[in-house]
Amino acid sequence: MSAELTTHQGHCHCRAVTWEVRAPAKLRVDECDCSMCDMHGFQHIIVPKSRFTLLTGQDNITTYTFNTHVAQHYFCKTCGIESFYVPRSNPDGYSINFRCLERDNVTEFEILPFDGKNWEANAAKLAHMSKD
C-alpha cells in the first residue's frame, strides 16, 4: 500500500526556478556523504520524473556534470542553488533538495544517512525510489 501523495512547492533561493512535486506528506530524506552532496549539503527526496513539474526558470538553469556524466546537476544561473537534479542512481527520476522544499504540506520527515562515499556498493538501494 503506497502513501497518499500531496503537491509540494519548491524553489531556488532567488525564486527564479520554481517547481512542484507530488510526494507523501511524510517524507524520507536521504543525506548522502559523497563528495558532491557533502560539499553543498544536498538532502535528497527521490521521485519519479512523472511527479515533478518545473514551473518557472527553464532558461535560468545551467547544468553541471562530472565523472560518468549521467547525473545532471541543475543550478540557478542567478543564485547558484541546486534545488533539483537527475541523479546517477535514478536517471528515470529527480532528486529534490529537501532544503529547497516549502514545508507547508510536510507533516513529518526523517533524515537517513546514505553512504555515498561507497556509492558503487550502495546506489542500487535507491533504484526503487524513482518508480511510479
Side-chain angles (χ1 to χ4, degrees):
M1 186 165 147
S2 62
E4 186 176 327
L5 302 179
T6 188
T7 300
H8 300 275
Q9 304 290 319
H11 52 81
C12 63
H13 186 261
C14 71
R15 297 179 184 255
V17 176
T18 64
W19 41 264
E20 63 183 26
V21 63
R22 302 270 305 146
K26 181 179 178 180
L27 294 170
R28 170 199 167 127
V29 180
D30 289 294
E31 189 161 59
C32 178
D33 65 356
C34 76
S35 63
M36 184 74 171
C37 297
D38 195 45
M39 283 186 144
H40 73 280
F42 202 102
Q43 293 180 318
H44 303 266
I45 302 167
I46 299 174
V47 299
K49 281 189 178 178
S50 63
R51 294 189 197 161
F52 177 85
T53 304
L54 182 63
L55 300 174
T56 64
Q58 178 65 49
D59 58 344
N60 205 51
I61 292 174
T62 190
T63 304
Y64 172 70
T65 66
F66 65 99
N67 194 11
T68 64
H69 303 284
V70 174
Q72 302 290 305
H73 294 271
Y74 302 129
F75 294 86
C76 172
K77 291 179 184 178
T78 304
C79 67
I81 295 297
E82 180 182 21
S83 61
F84 70 97
Y85 80 106
V86 175
R88 182 165 62 132
S89 61
N90 300 76
D92 57 341
Y94 285 105
S95 183
I96 306 307
N97 190 343
F98 180 64
R99 297 178 191 274
C100 297
L101 189 76
E102 294 290 336
R103 308 282 171 90
D104 300 347
N105 295 330
V106 177
T107 59
E108 191 177 333
F109 64 92
E110 181 178 13
I111 298 175
L112 302 170
F114 178 77
D115 182 6
K117 287 183 179 171
N118 298 296
W119 194 91
E120 298 295 340
N122 294 302
K125 296 173 187 173
L126 303 174
H128 71 282
M129 299 175 86
S130 56
K131 306 298 180 220
D132 276 315

